[in-house]
Amino acid sequence: MNIHVPSTYEVYRGWQSIQGTGLEIGTTLLVGAGLMLACGMVLFLLPTFIACRRKVHNAAVVAVVNCTLGMTGAGWVIALLMACLLETDTSRHARLRRSEAATFLTAP
């Protein structure tokens, strides 16, 4: 019975042909982790981006809710709803133009 035991070099060359060099694997993992982090940050800040794009009157409030409570999941949904449903600057200005002039006792 003739059993061949591979040498360390043969094992290394076989592993390298399957996996590539260590530098290629590390670079791929690093680039993949960076892309996942970037996509995660864009997804996390999506309500803030929507609020700024829509020019929501209280976009800063949406950003604060998103950054402080967004990690809970429910806070992220609340920030997304705020970004989509709050009044925009243009509609607010139009509403204020239509209303009567403010007096001392009325709120603007």
Side-chain angles (χ1 to χ4, degrees):
M1 181 152 61
N2 194 2
I3 299 174
H4 173 68
V5 177
S7 67
T8 306
Y9 178 75
E10 290 172 339
V11 170
Y12 173 74
R13 293 303 293 169
W15 177 255
Q16 189 178 21
S17 67
I18 294 171
Q19 296 293 323
T21 64
L23 182 63
E24 291 170 357
I25 295 170
T27 305
T28 303
L29 290 176
L30 186 63
V31 169
L35 285 174
M36 287 181 60
L37 181 68
C39 290
M41 289 301 292
V42 167
L43 184 65
F44 179 75
L45 293 173
L46 185 66
T48 303
F49 295 147
I50 291 173
C52 290
R53 179 74 175 153
R54 287 188 66 228
K55 296 181 182 167
V56 170
H57 175 62
N58 291 327
V61 174
V62 175
V64 168
V65 169
N66 188 21
C67 291
T68 57
L69 301 175
M71 295 166 279
T72 62
W76 187 86
V77 171
I78 290 169
L80 185 63
L81 288 174
M82 287 173 63
C84 293
L85 299 177
L86 283 180
E87 187 177 35
T88 61
D89 282 336
T90 52
S91 65
R92 182 173 187 269
H93 291 310
R95 181 179 55 84
L96 290 176
R97 272 193 305 263
R98 285 190 312 265
S99 68
E100 57 197 40
T103 61
F104 178 73
L105 297 175
T106 60

